[in-house]
Amino acid sequence: MSYDMAFWQEPQEIDAAGAYQKYDAMTDGKSGVSAESTRVRDFYAAVLKNYPDLTVENSDTSPWTSAVYCNGECVIVTISWSRKNELVDTLISLAQRHGLLAYDPQKEEVHR
């Protein structure tokens, strides 16, 4: 089981329903849902610096259940359920420092 989160630059206010629509499109692989941003790429690099991407070699210790996804518009993570308490708040804080929105689809919450 995993705990999913998404991060992107959102220039205007957005509620949970609007964020879900964007998240749904992003997880369907659509592009152009959000503008590409260096903030997204910088956030992605910071995430991987703190929590290296999932590999065969680190599959027993990685917090991820699949590779961290980044297309320049968004970063989507699938956190191992057992590690969610450790990572969720940290990732939200990191996103805020990079000026990104964090969307938690499990709780239907938007964090700025």
Side-chain angles (χ1 to χ4, degrees):
M1 182 176 241
S2 66
Y3 195 93
D4 306 329
M5 294 193 75
F7 309 88
W8 66 88
Q9 186 171 348
E10 185 61 48
Q12 55 195 357
E13 286 300 313
I14 188 169
D15 63 9
Y20 174 77
Q21 288 180 331
K22 286 191 170 193
Y23 170 77
D24 190 43
M26 291 171 180
T27 57
D28 282 345
K30 295 181 181 168
S31 61
V33 176
S34 183
E36 287 198 35
S37 169
T38 57
R39 291 179 183 187
V40 169
R41 293 192 190 283
D42 291 345
F43 171 75
Y44 174 68
V47 168
L48 294 185
K49 181 179 178 184
N50 291 311
Y51 305 100
D53 213 346
L54 179 66
T55 64
V56 172
E57 294 79 23
N58 72 1
S59 63
D60 291 339
T61 59
S62 176
W64 316 119
T65 59
S66 64
V68 177
Y69 174 81
C70 178
N71 67 354
E73 295 179 22
C74 67
V75 173
I76 300 173
V77 299
T78 55
I79 305 164
S80 172
W81 191 263
S82 64
R83 305 275 305 267
K84 71 177 176 59
N85 291 336
E86 170 191 346
L87 268 74
V88 170
D89 289 341
T90 300
L91 291 173
I92 290 170
S93 293
L94 187 59
Q96 290 170 337
R97 285 195 302 268
H98 282 85
L100 301 180
L101 172 143
Y103 178 64
D104 180 336
Q106 286 80 203
K107 294 182 179 178
E108 299 177 358
E109 290 180 345
V110 175
H111 302 271
R112 287 199 165 268

